[in-house]
Amino acid sequence: MGTLIGLEIKKLLHRKKTLITTIAFLLLIGLVAFGSYKEDENRRKWENPEFQIKNMEESIQNLKARQNELNISEEEKKGISSDIARMEEEIKRLKINPKSDAADWKKQTQIEIDNLKKQLESPGIDSTQKEYYKNQIQEYEYLLKHDIKPERNKLTAFSFLSVLYEGMGFIFLAVGVGLFTADMVSGECTPPTLKLLLTQPISRRKALFSKFIAVVSAATIMIVAIELISFVIMGLIFGFGDFNYPMFVGTRFKYDMNQVVNGTHPIVSIAGSTYMITRAVYLVRMFLLQILAIVTVASFAFMLSSIFKSSMVSVSLSIVTPVVLFIISNIQSLSKFTMLMFTNHLNPEYIMKGQNVMRFSNPNITPTFSIVLLVVWAVVCYGISHLVFTKKDILI
Amino acid sequence: MNVLEVKDVYKRLGKREIIKGISFNVKEGEIFGFLGPNGAGKTTTIRMLVGLISANSGSIAIMGQDIKKHKEKALSHVGAVVENPELYTYLSGRQNLELVAKIRRVPLSAIDEVVELVQLTDRINDKVKKYSLGMKQRLGLAAALLSKPKLLILDEPTNGLDPTGILDFREIVRKAARETKTAVFISSHILSEVQELCDTVAFINEGVIKAVESVEGGTISKDSETVVVVPRDLKACSEVLNKLSYVKDLIEKDGELLVRAQIDKTSDMIFDLTEKKIAVKELYIRHKELEERYMELVEGGVR
């Protein structure tokens, strides 16, 4: 079995397709890295006090011009005046002590905590907002306690990875891994090298399983290794950020039975269900979920490749199917069906943060639900390819 | 000892019955020819022998191991090339052989030996993509021979080989049969091929084995042979020949006489004709027995 897997990996590495997919992935990473860098550059520009002062002075002039127009009400004029006053105040502050903001992040954070606490006590907020404020407060308090400076949107190796996941969650995993896997079996039909393989003294069951293990491990190693390398490179250039930085995950949801919006009960978070983990733990979970996603996508494409003799058919189907599933996932009326499709559970961030709940308006899509769903898909798809492959007459 | 035993095998593909109950045995060291026209069921039979497709009924056993129940054990005795030798074109010849060697747990040193045997030493490290059809045939044969199998199955093995290649190929197969007692099963539609090489020949057509006959010294053993006589006077000659005791019958065809006579009576025939002053332009034995038999069995008579 080990020999067979080794041989399959060797075959994979000798194919052009492997090189092409790897290059495509590297390009994607390069693009995401470049994009994040540009975004970060913008952010720093906005945070620059001189740039802020210049912007605010421009706004003040615009507002003053607006004030002098004839057709605006007294009330509006008053509002504009107070805006102008506020901005002038801010400009004064920035001019006196341009660095104060950066140096005194502790004081600033404390102020924000106080503000959030006030908001939390204000009447009329629902439990989703309450959960959000609570988490924010918890985050800031944790940061103060552990002496970690808030990163906000600063570019770090971590934020780079999470942008990469968001961009990749669907596109690269579903299409890239699908493409990589979809001709594992059918690719041996033209030219029919499968005949050489299957006339050797090995059972079809083993031949198939070694192919599956080979392609899954090759895809996993390729993706995870490239991600880790790019993570280290980005970290060395832009900093890794703090590994103990708090992340909030696991929020559970329920229907709010006390309210009706548009004829249904709105979905709210369950108070106290969210919990905090460090970023290091978050990262590990993200990688594990990603590996599960790779396995599932691979089993699906693998199934297609053992059903169809033509690699053209299996490859195109493995690309078209996820794209179609992704498109119909936006149709609300089909959400009961589309929420069961594996393509909607490939993004580790979505799973951990429960974003699918809102997308499909169903509070039952918990992380466990997503994980079980992916496992079921993988097992069923591999089971089908096993049944088809071990039974069929090889007539190629 | 029977290396391959095929009993009452039937195979349906879709609605068509391709193989309608065939049975035969191949013994140790025997070269068995499987002769039939296109679409007779040769490749289907071979596919069943190597477990690529399964028979609807009947049994196939290799070295006593049933191909359905103990496929791995049965196939460990088999080296096969089914239809064209399909190898991994993106790997080199050597890498292809290494692949087979590793699966079959054959020491890698066996590769050089077998490569030498099929005379591919110069090109073995090239990608198979760059091979000619003949070279692929040689490599396919090498892959089949690598594990020194008890049963060698070859499907139209001389396709794409040049005349020297064909001679080399025959030598390799004979050597395997003689030295390692390998049973060889060769399917072909090329008569001369089978005539040259095989000990036994089975004629198959429309999924049925029409006959199994043994071939000795390049001919099917039988008691009569066909002598072609081209006389100056057709009528006089046929009158004389008809009276001879060892002539069984004769046909006139395009100014020639096809005489079916007892075996080894050609000299007598020449003496008798000379005695009766019959002028003969040409007289020879026709060495096309297999072809005649083939036509008889497969196409329904001599054409």
mmCIF file of all heavy atoms in Angstrom, chain A residues 1 4 185 194-195 197-212 302 382 385-395, chain B residues 47-48 50-54 71-72 75:
data_model
loop_
_atom_site.group_PDB
_atom_site.id
_atom_site.type_symbol
_atom_site.label_atom_id
_atom_site.label_comp_id
_atom_site.label_asym_id
_atom_site.label_seq_id
_atom_site.Cartn_x
_atom_site.Cartn_y
_atom_site.Cartn_z
ATOM 1 N N MET A 1 0.848 -1.210 0.000
ATOM 2 C CA MET A 1 0.000 0.000 0.000
ATOM 3 C C MET A 1 0.877 1.252 0.000
ATOM 4 O O MET A 1 0.670 2.156 -0.789
ATOM 5 C CB MET A 1 -0.873 -0.040 1.257
ATOM 6 C CG MET A 1 -2.057 0.859 1.200
ATOM 7 S SD MET A 1 -3.286 0.278 0.024
ATOM 8 C CE MET A 1 -4.049 1.815 -0.351
ATOM 9 N N LEU A 4 2.435 1.700 -3.321
ATOM 10 C CA LEU A 4 1.473 2.203 -4.307
ATOM 11 C C LEU A 4 1.270 3.702 -4.157
ATOM 12 O O LEU A 4 1.262 4.446 -5.139
ATOM 13 C CB LEU A 4 0.130 1.500 -4.119
ATOM 14 C CG LEU A 4 0.017 0.121 -4.760
ATOM 15 C CD1 LEU A 4 -1.340 -0.478 -4.481
ATOM 16 C CD2 LEU A 4 0.242 0.224 -6.263
ATOM 17 N N VAL A 185 -8.246 9.467 -11.966
ATOM 18 C CA VAL A 185 -8.597 8.169 -12.528
ATOM 19 C C VAL A 185 -8.873 8.302 -14.029
ATOM 20 O O VAL A 185 -8.302 7.581 -14.838
ATOM 21 C CB VAL A 185 -9.826 7.563 -11.813
ATOM 22 C CG1 VAL A 185 -10.139 6.191 -12.381
ATOM 23 C CG2 VAL A 185 -9.565 7.456 -10.321
ATOM 24 N N LEU A 194 -4.384 2.860 -17.409
ATOM 25 C CA LEU A 194 -5.056 2.123 -16.348
ATOM 26 C C LEU A 194 -4.916 0.618 -16.566
ATOM 27 O O LEU A 194 -4.872 -0.160 -15.617
ATOM 28 C CB LEU A 194 -6.542 2.509 -16.351
ATOM 29 C CG LEU A 194 -7.318 2.418 -15.053
ATOM 30 C CD1 LEU A 194 -6.617 3.166 -13.946
ATOM 31 C CD2 LEU A 194 -8.712 2.965 -15.235
ATOM 32 N N LYS A 195 -4.812 0.224 -17.847
ATOM 33 C CA LYS A 195 -4.651 -1.193 -18.166
ATOM 34 C C LYS A 195 -3.336 -1.730 -17.609
ATOM 35 O O LYS A 195 -3.285 -2.839 -17.095
ATOM 36 C CB LYS A 195 -4.680 -1.390 -19.689
ATOM 37 C CG LYS A 195 -6.063 -1.209 -20.263
ATOM 38 C CD LYS A 195 -6.139 -1.707 -21.687
ATOM 39 C CE LYS A 195 -5.297 -0.877 -22.612
ATOM 40 N NZ LYS A 195 -5.627 -1.092 -24.034
ATOM 41 N N LEU A 197 -1.750 -0.529 -15.045
ATOM 42 C CA LEU A 197 -1.853 -0.531 -13.587
ATOM 43 C C LEU A 197 -2.699 -1.700 -13.088
ATOM 44 O O LEU A 197 -2.328 -2.396 -12.145
ATOM 45 C CB LEU A 197 -2.457 0.802 -13.136
ATOM 46 C CG LEU A 197 -2.440 1.062 -11.645
ATOM 47 C CD1 LEU A 197 -1.021 1.205 -11.144
ATOM 48 C CD2 LEU A 197 -3.233 2.316 -11.319
ATOM 49 N N LEU A 198 -3.838 -1.934 -13.741
ATOM 50 C CA LEU A 198 -4.778 -2.921 -13.216
ATOM 51 C C LEU A 198 -4.439 -4.357 -13.614
ATOM 52 O O LEU A 198 -5.041 -5.288 -13.102
ATOM 53 C CB LEU A 198 -6.201 -2.578 -13.657
ATOM 54 C CG LEU A 198 -6.753 -1.280 -13.064
ATOM 55 C CD1 LEU A 198 -8.179 -1.064 -13.493
ATOM 56 C CD2 LEU A 198 -6.661 -1.278 -11.549
ATOM 57 N N THR A 199 -3.469 -4.536 -14.536
ATOM 58 C CA THR A 199 -3.062 -5.906 -14.813
ATOM 59 C C THR A 199 -1.920 -6.318 -13.886
ATOM 60 O O THR A 199 -1.398 -7.412 -13.988
ATOM 61 C CB THR A 199 -2.638 -6.103 -16.282
ATOM 62 O OG1 THR A 199 -1.711 -5.081 -16.630
ATOM 63 C CG2 THR A 199 -3.823 -6.029 -17.212
ATOM 64 N N GLN A 200 -1.539 -5.424 -12.993
ATOM 65 C CA GLN A 200 -0.566 -5.797 -11.963
ATOM 66 C C GLN A 200 -1.316 -6.497 -10.828
ATOM 67 O O GLN A 200 -2.517 -6.304 -10.674
ATOM 68 C CB GLN A 200 0.154 -4.552 -11.415
ATOM 69 C CG GLN A 200 0.840 -3.694 -12.462
ATOM 70 C CD GLN A 200 1.811 -4.477 -13.313
ATOM 71 O OE1 GLN A 200 2.478 -5.371 -12.826
ATOM 72 N NE2 GLN A 200 1.867 -4.172 -14.608
ATOM 73 N N PRO A 201 -0.604 -7.301 -10.047
ATOM 74 C CA PRO A 201 -1.305 -8.026 -8.979
ATOM 75 C C PRO A 201 -1.663 -7.134 -7.789
ATOM 76 O O PRO A 201 -1.119 -7.267 -6.703
ATOM 77 C CB PRO A 201 -0.299 -9.113 -8.582
ATOM 78 C CG PRO A 201 1.015 -8.583 -8.990
ATOM 79 C CD PRO A 201 0.790 -7.700 -10.159
ATOM 80 N N ILE A 202 -2.587 -6.202 -8.028
ATOM 81 C CA ILE A 202 -3.094 -5.388 -6.918
ATOM 82 C C ILE A 202 -4.610 -5.339 -7.066
ATOM 83 O O ILE A 202 -5.119 -5.428 -8.176
ATOM 84 C CB ILE A 202 -2.542 -3.940 -6.952
ATOM 85 C CG1 ILE A 202 -2.622 -3.375 -8.368
ATOM 86 C CG2 ILE A 202 -1.147 -3.871 -6.424
ATOM 87 C CD1 ILE A 202 -2.329 -1.904 -8.463
ATOM 88 N N SER A 203 -5.304 -5.202 -5.955
ATOM 89 C CA SER A 203 -6.755 -5.144 -6.068
ATOM 90 C C SER A 203 -7.148 -3.733 -6.480
ATOM 91 O O SER A 203 -6.431 -2.773 -6.247
ATOM 92 C CB SER A 203 -7.405 -5.510 -4.739
ATOM 93 O OG SER A 203 -7.076 -4.529 -3.781
ATOM 94 N N ARG A 204 -8.304 -3.624 -7.099
ATOM 95 C CA ARG A 204 -8.781 -2.305 -7.537
ATOM 96 C C ARG A 204 -9.004 -1.392 -6.346
ATOM 97 O O ARG A 204 -8.779 -0.201 -6.418
ATOM 98 C CB ARG A 204 -10.097 -2.467 -8.294
ATOM 99 C CG ARG A 204 -9.898 -3.187 -9.583
ATOM 100 C CD ARG A 204 -10.886 -2.718 -10.608
ATOM 101 N NE ARG A 204 -10.821 -3.569 -11.771
ATOM 102 C CZ ARG A 204 -11.789 -3.714 -12.629
ATOM 103 N NH1 ARG A 204 -12.921 -3.060 -12.440
ATOM 104 N NH2 ARG A 204 -11.661 -4.490 -13.667
ATOM 105 N N ARG A 205 -9.458 -2.015 -5.257
ATOM 106 C CA ARG A 205 -9.716 -1.247 -4.033
ATOM 107 C C ARG A 205 -8.440 -0.522 -3.603
ATOM 108 O O ARG A 205 -8.445 0.671 -3.312
ATOM 109 C CB ARG A 205 -10.174 -2.237 -2.960
ATOM 110 C CG ARG A 205 -10.482 -1.677 -1.608
ATOM 111 C CD ARG A 205 -10.961 -2.817 -0.704
ATOM 112 N NE ARG A 205 -9.960 -3.870 -0.566
ATOM 113 C CZ ARG A 205 -8.937 -3.825 0.292
ATOM 114 N NH1 ARG A 205 -8.781 -2.777 1.062
ATOM 115 N NH2 ARG A 205 -8.064 -4.816 0.356
ATOM 116 N N LYS A 206 -7.324 -1.252 -3.615
ATOM 117 C CA LYS A 206 -6.060 -0.643 -3.200
ATOM 118 C C LYS A 206 -5.571 0.378 -4.215
ATOM 119 O O LYS A 206 -5.052 1.433 -3.854
ATOM 120 C CB LYS A 206 -4.990 -1.728 -3.031
ATOM 121 C CG LYS A 206 -5.053 -2.408 -1.693
ATOM 122 C CD LYS A 206 -3.885 -3.373 -1.555
ATOM 123 C CE LYS A 206 -4.059 -4.276 -0.362
ATOM 124 N NZ LYS A 206 -3.162 -5.419 -0.430
ATOM 125 N N ALA A 207 -5.730 0.049 -5.489
ATOM 126 C CA ALA A 207 -5.290 0.977 -6.541
ATOM 127 C C ALA A 207 -6.009 2.313 -6.381
ATOM 128 O O ALA A 207 -5.407 3.387 -6.456
ATOM 129 C CB ALA A 207 -5.572 0.377 -7.913
ATOM 130 N N LEU A 208 -7.331 2.236 -6.127
ATOM 131 C CA LEU A 208 -8.131 3.448 -6.011
ATOM 132 C C LEU A 208 -7.761 4.231 -4.753
ATOM 133 O O LEU A 208 -7.561 5.446 -4.786
ATOM 134 C CB LEU A 208 -9.618 3.087 -5.988
ATOM 135 C CG LEU A 208 -10.563 4.273 -6.081
ATOM 136 C CD1 LEU A 208 -10.617 4.786 -7.508
ATOM 137 C CD2 LEU A 208 -11.962 3.906 -5.636
ATOM 138 N N PHE A 209 -7.657 3.496 -3.642
ATOM 139 C CA PHE A 209 -7.394 4.169 -2.370
ATOM 140 C C PHE A 209 -6.020 4.841 -2.381
ATOM 141 O O PHE A 209 -5.861 5.963 -1.896
ATOM 142 C CB PHE A 209 -7.499 3.168 -1.220
ATOM 143 C CG PHE A 209 -7.488 3.808 0.129
ATOM 144 C CD1 PHE A 209 -8.498 4.687 0.485
ATOM 145 C CD2 PHE A 209 -6.472 3.558 1.039
ATOM 146 C CE1 PHE A 209 -8.501 5.303 1.721
ATOM 147 C CE2 PHE A 209 -6.464 4.173 2.284
ATOM 148 C CZ PHE A 209 -7.482 5.038 2.625
ATOM 149 N N SER A 210 -5.030 4.188 -2.980
ATOM 150 C CA SER A 210 -3.702 4.801 -3.004
ATOM 151 C C SER A 210 -3.709 6.059 -3.863
ATOM 152 O O SER A 210 -3.026 7.040 -3.556
ATOM 153 C CB SER A 210 -2.658 3.802 -3.494
ATOM 154 O OG SER A 210 -2.990 3.341 -4.763
ATOM 155 N N LYS A 211 -4.515 6.047 -4.916
ATOM 156 C CA LYS A 211 -4.632 7.255 -5.736
ATOM 157 C C LYS A 211 -5.232 8.399 -4.911
ATOM 158 O O LYS A 211 -4.774 9.528 -4.975
ATOM 159 C CB LYS A 211 -5.549 6.997 -6.935
ATOM 160 C CG LYS A 211 -4.841 6.415 -8.123
ATOM 161 C CD LYS A 211 -5.790 6.296 -9.285
ATOM 162 C CE LYS A 211 -5.060 5.796 -10.503
ATOM 163 N NZ LYS A 211 -3.973 6.675 -10.926
ATOM 164 N N PHE A 212 -6.269 8.046 -4.135
ATOM 165 C CA PHE A 212 -6.953 9.070 -3.348
ATOM 166 C C PHE A 212 -6.017 9.661 -2.294
ATOM 167 O O PHE A 212 -5.880 10.885 -2.185
ATOM 168 C CB PHE A 212 -8.183 8.450 -2.677
ATOM 169 C CG PHE A 212 -8.994 9.433 -1.886
ATOM 170 C CD1 PHE A 212 -9.700 10.428 -2.521
ATOM 171 C CD2 PHE A 212 -9.033 9.363 -0.503
ATOM 172 C CE1 PHE A 212 -10.436 11.343 -1.802
ATOM 173 C CE2 PHE A 212 -9.767 10.275 0.228
ATOM 174 C CZ PHE A 212 -10.472 11.268 -0.429
ATOM 175 N N PHE A 302 -12.763 13.431 -7.191
ATOM 176 C CA PHE A 302 -12.298 12.055 -7.374
ATOM 177 C C PHE A 302 -13.447 11.155 -7.813
ATOM 178 O O PHE A 302 -13.290 10.307 -8.689
ATOM 179 C CB PHE A 302 -11.736 11.557 -6.034
ATOM 180 C CG PHE A 302 -10.849 10.360 -6.154
ATOM 181 C CD1 PHE A 302 -9.577 10.486 -6.668
ATOM 182 C CD2 PHE A 302 -11.285 9.113 -5.750
ATOM 183 C CE1 PHE A 302 -8.743 9.382 -6.771
ATOM 184 C CE2 PHE A 302 -10.463 8.006 -5.853
ATOM 185 C CZ PHE A 302 -9.187 8.145 -6.361
ATOM 186 N N TYR A 382 -16.428 9.317 -1.749
ATOM 187 C CA TYR A 382 -15.423 8.267 -1.925
ATOM 188 C C TYR A 382 -16.102 6.906 -2.046
ATOM 189 O O TYR A 382 -15.699 6.072 -2.862
ATOM 190 C CB TYR A 382 -14.403 8.245 -0.784
ATOM 191 C CG TYR A 382 -13.316 7.244 -1.088
ATOM 192 C CD1 TYR A 382 -12.303 7.581 -1.978
ATOM 193 C CD2 TYR A 382 -13.360 5.953 -0.588
ATOM 194 C CE1 TYR A 382 -11.342 6.653 -2.342
ATOM 195 C CE2 TYR A 382 -12.407 5.018 -0.947
ATOM 196 C CZ TYR A 382 -11.402 5.378 -1.810
ATOM 197 O OH TYR A 382 -10.470 4.457 -2.194
ATOM 198 N N SER A 385 -17.223 6.429 -5.572
ATOM 199 C CA SER A 385 -16.150 6.111 -6.516
ATOM 200 C C SER A 385 -15.641 4.686 -6.303
ATOM 201 O O SER A 385 -15.331 3.992 -7.261
ATOM 202 C CB SER A 385 -14.994 7.111 -6.482
ATOM 203 O OG SER A 385 -14.833 7.660 -5.236
ATOM 204 N N HIS A 386 -15.626 4.252 -5.042
ATOM 205 C CA HIS A 386 -15.194 2.884 -4.761
ATOM 206 C C HIS A 386 -16.127 1.869 -5.425
ATOM 207 O O HIS A 386 -15.685 0.958 -6.118
ATOM 208 C CB HIS A 386 -15.172 2.657 -3.243
ATOM 209 C CG HIS A 386 -14.843 1.263 -2.836
ATOM 210 N ND1 HIS A 386 -13.556 0.826 -2.653
ATOM 211 C CD2 HIS A 386 -15.648 0.198 -2.614
ATOM 212 C CE1 HIS A 386 -13.581 -0.445 -2.332
ATOM 213 N NE2 HIS A 386 -14.835 -0.854 -2.290
ATOM 214 N N LEU A 387 -17.434 2.076 -5.228
ATOM 215 C CA LEU A 387 -18.396 1.132 -5.802
ATOM 216 C C LEU A 387 -18.285 1.096 -7.318
ATOM 217 O O LEU A 387 -18.255 0.031 -7.931
ATOM 218 C CB LEU A 387 -19.820 1.528 -5.397
ATOM 219 C CG LEU A 387 -20.186 1.219 -3.949
ATOM 220 C CD1 LEU A 387 -21.606 1.662 -3.654
ATOM 221 C CD2 LEU A 387 -20.025 -0.275 -3.667
ATOM 222 N N VAL A 388 -18.216 2.288 -7.921
ATOM 223 C CA VAL A 388 -18.154 2.350 -9.381
ATOM 224 C C VAL A 388 -16.877 1.696 -9.894
ATOM 225 O O VAL A 388 -16.900 0.852 -10.784
ATOM 226 C CB VAL A 388 -18.220 3.820 -9.861
ATOM 227 C CG1 VAL A 388 -17.932 3.915 -11.354
ATOM 228 C CG2 VAL A 388 -19.578 4.411 -9.554
ATOM 229 N N PHE A 389 -15.772 2.058 -9.276
ATOM 230 C CA PHE A 389 -14.480 1.632 -9.818
ATOM 231 C C PHE A 389 -14.232 0.134 -9.639
ATOM 232 O O PHE A 389 -13.685 -0.522 -10.522
ATOM 233 C CB PHE A 389 -13.357 2.430 -9.148
ATOM 234 C CG PHE A 389 -12.014 2.206 -9.764
ATOM 235 C CD1 PHE A 389 -11.713 2.748 -11.007
ATOM 236 C CD2 PHE A 389 -11.055 1.451 -9.124
ATOM 237 C CE1 PHE A 389 -10.481 2.550 -11.587
ATOM 238 C CE2 PHE A 389 -9.814 1.245 -9.695
ATOM 239 C CZ PHE A 389 -9.530 1.797 -10.931
ATOM 240 N N THR A 390 -14.624 -0.425 -8.499
ATOM 241 C CA THR A 390 -14.315 -1.838 -8.283
ATOM 242 C C THR A 390 -15.240 -2.747 -9.087
ATOM 243 O O THR A 390 -14.911 -3.894 -9.345
ATOM 244 C CB THR A 390 -14.417 -2.215 -6.794
ATOM 245 O OG1 THR A 390 -15.670 -1.748 -6.299
ATOM 246 C CG2 THR A 390 -13.298 -1.592 -6.000
ATOM 247 N N LYS A 391 -16.400 -2.225 -9.492
ATOM 248 C CA LYS A 391 -17.345 -3.075 -10.208
ATOM 249 C C LYS A 391 -17.195 -2.985 -11.723
ATOM 250 O O LYS A 391 -17.526 -3.914 -12.436
ATOM 251 C CB LYS A 391 -18.792 -2.684 -9.845
ATOM 252 C CG LYS A 391 -19.157 -2.981 -8.409
ATOM 253 C CD LYS A 391 -19.636 -4.407 -8.223
ATOM 254 C CE LYS A 391 -20.011 -4.680 -6.785
ATOM 255 N NZ LYS A 391 -18.860 -4.590 -5.861
ATOM 256 N N LYS A 392 -16.712 -1.865 -12.213
ATOM 257 C CA LYS A 392 -16.925 -1.657 -13.657
ATOM 258 C C LYS A 392 -15.949 -2.435 -14.532
ATOM 259 O O LYS A 392 -14.835 -2.768 -14.118
ATOM 260 C CB LYS A 392 -16.879 -0.164 -13.989
ATOM 261 C CG LYS A 392 -15.510 0.444 -14.125
ATOM 262 C CD LYS A 392 -15.645 1.832 -14.726
ATOM 263 C CE LYS A 392 -14.388 2.651 -14.516
ATOM 264 N NZ LYS A 392 -14.559 4.036 -14.938
ATOM 265 N N ASP A 393 -16.424 -2.739 -15.753
ATOM 266 C CA ASP A 393 -15.581 -3.363 -16.755
ATOM 267 C C ASP A 393 -14.683 -2.298 -17.372
ATOM 268 O O ASP A 393 -15.160 -1.251 -17.803
ATOM 269 C CB ASP A 393 -16.448 -3.980 -17.861
ATOM 270 C CG ASP A 393 -17.050 -5.305 -17.434
ATOM 271 O OD1 ASP A 393 -16.619 -5.839 -16.401
ATOM 272 O OD2 ASP A 393 -17.948 -5.806 -18.139
ATOM 273 N N ILE A 394 -13.379 -2.578 -17.393
ATOM 274 C CA ILE A 394 -12.449 -1.611 -17.978
ATOM 275 C C ILE A 394 -12.371 -1.886 -19.480
ATOM 276 O O ILE A 394 -11.732 -2.833 -19.922
ATOM 277 C CB ILE A 394 -11.046 -1.729 -17.344
ATOM 278 C CG1 ILE A 394 -11.134 -1.719 -15.826
ATOM 279 C CG2 ILE A 394 -10.120 -0.635 -17.855
ATOM 280 C CD1 ILE A 394 -11.483 -0.408 -15.203
ATOM 281 N N LEU A 395 -13.059 -1.067 -20.243
ATOM 282 C CA LEU A 395 -13.133 -1.316 -21.690
ATOM 283 C C LEU A 395 -12.365 -0.276 -22.488
ATOM 284 O O LEU A 395 -12.557 -0.125 -23.689
ATOM 285 C CB LEU A 395 -14.594 -1.324 -22.133
ATOM 286 C CG LEU A 395 -15.376 -2.555 -21.681
ATOM 287 C CD1 LEU A 395 -16.853 -2.375 -21.922
ATOM 288 C CD2 LEU A 395 -14.868 -3.792 -22.393
ATOM 289 N N ARG B 47 -9.013 -9.439 -22.066
ATOM 290 C CA ARG B 47 -9.413 -8.586 -20.944
ATOM 291 C C ARG B 47 -9.947 -9.408 -19.777
ATOM 292 O O ARG B 47 -9.753 -9.067 -18.624
ATOM 293 C CB ARG B 47 -10.494 -7.596 -21.391
ATOM 294 C CG ARG B 47 -9.952 -6.413 -22.160
ATOM 295 C CD ARG B 47 -11.116 -5.569 -22.630
ATOM 296 N NE ARG B 47 -10.705 -4.652 -23.673
ATOM 297 C CZ ARG B 47 -10.142 -3.478 -23.441
ATOM 298 N NH1 ARG B 47 -9.937 -3.085 -22.207
ATOM 299 N NH2 ARG B 47 -9.786 -2.710 -24.435
ATOM 300 N N MET B 48 -10.658 -10.495 -20.124
ATOM 301 C CA MET B 48 -11.169 -11.346 -19.045
ATOM 302 C C MET B 48 -10.026 -12.121 -18.376
ATOM 303 O O MET B 48 -10.029 -12.304 -17.166
ATOM 304 C CB MET B 48 -12.212 -12.311 -19.595
ATOM 305 C CG MET B 48 -13.521 -11.613 -19.893
ATOM 306 S SD MET B 48 -14.868 -12.756 -20.199
ATOM 307 C CE MET B 48 -14.479 -13.303 -21.837
ATOM 308 N N VAL B 50 -7.071 -11.153 -17.818
ATOM 309 C CA VAL B 50 -6.289 -10.326 -16.891
ATOM 310 C C VAL B 50 -7.167 -9.566 -15.903
ATOM 311 O O VAL B 50 -6.701 -8.681 -15.199
ATOM 312 C CB VAL B 50 -5.385 -9.328 -17.645
ATOM 313 C CG1 VAL B 50 -4.328 -10.068 -18.428
ATOM 314 C CG2 VAL B 50 -6.196 -8.439 -18.567
ATOM 315 N N GLY B 51 -8.462 -9.892 -15.876
ATOM 316 C CA GLY B 51 -9.334 -9.308 -14.858
ATOM 317 C C GLY B 51 -9.747 -7.868 -15.098
ATOM 318 O O GLY B 51 -10.231 -7.211 -14.183
ATOM 319 N N LEU B 52 -9.566 -7.377 -16.323
ATOM 320 C CA LEU B 52 -10.032 -6.012 -16.593
ATOM 321 C C LEU B 52 -11.551 -5.991 -16.706
ATOM 322 O O LEU B 52 -12.199 -5.017 -16.347
ATOM 323 C CB LEU B 52 -9.407 -5.468 -17.878
ATOM 324 C CG LEU B 52 -7.953 -5.021 -17.801
ATOM 325 C CD1 LEU B 52 -7.446 -4.588 -19.159
ATOM 326 C CD2 LEU B 52 -7.788 -3.882 -16.806
ATOM 327 N N ILE B 53 -12.116 -7.068 -17.242
ATOM 328 C CA ILE B 53 -13.573 -7.211 -17.225
ATOM 329 C C ILE B 53 -13.869 -8.590 -16.655
ATOM 330 O O ILE B 53 -13.018 -9.474 -16.668
ATOM 331 C CB ILE B 53 -14.200 -7.039 -18.632
ATOM 332 C CG1 ILE B 53 -13.684 -8.086 -19.604
ATOM 333 C CG2 ILE B 53 -13.913 -5.670 -19.196
ATOM 334 C CD1 ILE B 53 -14.276 -7.954 -20.998
ATOM 335 N N SER B 54 -15.087 -8.742 -16.137
ATOM 336 C CA SER B 54 -15.377 -10.041 -15.527
ATOM 337 C C SER B 54 -16.362 -10.807 -16.399
ATOM 338 O O SER B 54 -17.266 -10.233 -16.991
ATOM 339 C CB SER B 54 -15.916 -9.848 -14.116
ATOM 340 O OG SER B 54 -17.030 -9.000 -14.163
ATOM 341 N N LYS B 71 -7.828 -12.630 -7.437
ATOM 342 C CA LYS B 71 -7.268 -11.877 -8.554
ATOM 343 C C LYS B 71 -5.801 -11.535 -8.347
ATOM 344 O O LYS B 71 -4.991 -11.694 -9.249
ATOM 345 C CB LYS B 71 -8.086 -10.599 -8.754
ATOM 346 C CG LYS B 71 -7.800 -9.949 -10.082
ATOM 347 C CD LYS B 71 -8.757 -8.819 -10.357
ATOM 348 C CE LYS B 71 -7.971 -7.572 -10.619
ATOM 349 N NZ LYS B 71 -8.793 -6.378 -10.646
ATOM 350 N N GLU B 72 -5.474 -11.071 -7.130
ATOM 351 C CA GLU B 72 -4.094 -10.647 -6.897
ATOM 352 C C GLU B 72 -3.124 -11.800 -7.082
ATOM 353 O O GLU B 72 -2.103 -11.665 -7.749
ATOM 354 C CB GLU B 72 -3.951 -10.058 -5.495
ATOM 355 C CG GLU B 72 -4.571 -8.671 -5.400
ATOM 356 C CD GLU B 72 -4.566 -8.137 -3.990
ATOM 357 O OE1 GLU B 72 -3.466 -7.851 -3.492
ATOM 358 O OE2 GLU B 72 -5.642 -8.008 -3.392
ATOM 359 N N LEU B 75 -2.963 -12.835 -10.814
ATOM 360 C CA LEU B 75 -2.242 -11.880 -11.668
ATOM 361 C C LEU B 75 -0.750 -11.829 -11.349
ATOM 362 O O LEU B 75 0.042 -11.364 -12.178
ATOM 363 C CB LEU B 75 -2.845 -10.475 -11.536
ATOM 364 C CG LEU B 75 -4.167 -10.247 -12.273
ATOM 365 C CD1 LEU B 75 -4.620 -8.808 -12.102
ATOM 366 C CD2 LEU B 75 -4.035 -10.564 -13.757
#
